[in-house]
Amino acid sequence: NFKLHPYSGIGLPTICYNHLSNRSILGDNGLYLDHEKSDEENAVQMSRYLDMGNEEHATLSQKIKEDVSARFSWETIIKQLEEIYEQ
């Protein structure tokens, strides 16, 4: 899941398994596969994403980019560390 940060940071919708670590990065903006389902069931689920129009793809990409950039930017991380050290 180390690839999720850079992919999401540029707004690339990312398909990954629905694990806690992936969900903590992508939140509700991720495209999740269910590891308990078969490959065929997951393929059907992801085909719904492929059926989206260009506008829906652009909206999802923008949401992903904004969310990940806000939560994982250097400025945000530094601010969080400063708050921890102040306590």
Side-chain angles (χ1 to χ4, degrees), residues 40-70:
E40 291 82 13
E41 290 173 303
N42 280 321
V44 169
Q45 181 180 347
M46 287 302 106
S47 69
R48 292 187 192 120
Y49 169 72
L50 296 174
D51 288 339
M52 288 179 161
N54 288 339
E55 189 173 311
E56 291 171 298
H57 280 260
T59 300
L60 179 60
S61 292
Q62 188 63 32
K63 284 170 53 176
I64 291 170
K65 184 177 182 177
E66 289 172 358
D67 180 56
V68 170
S69 295

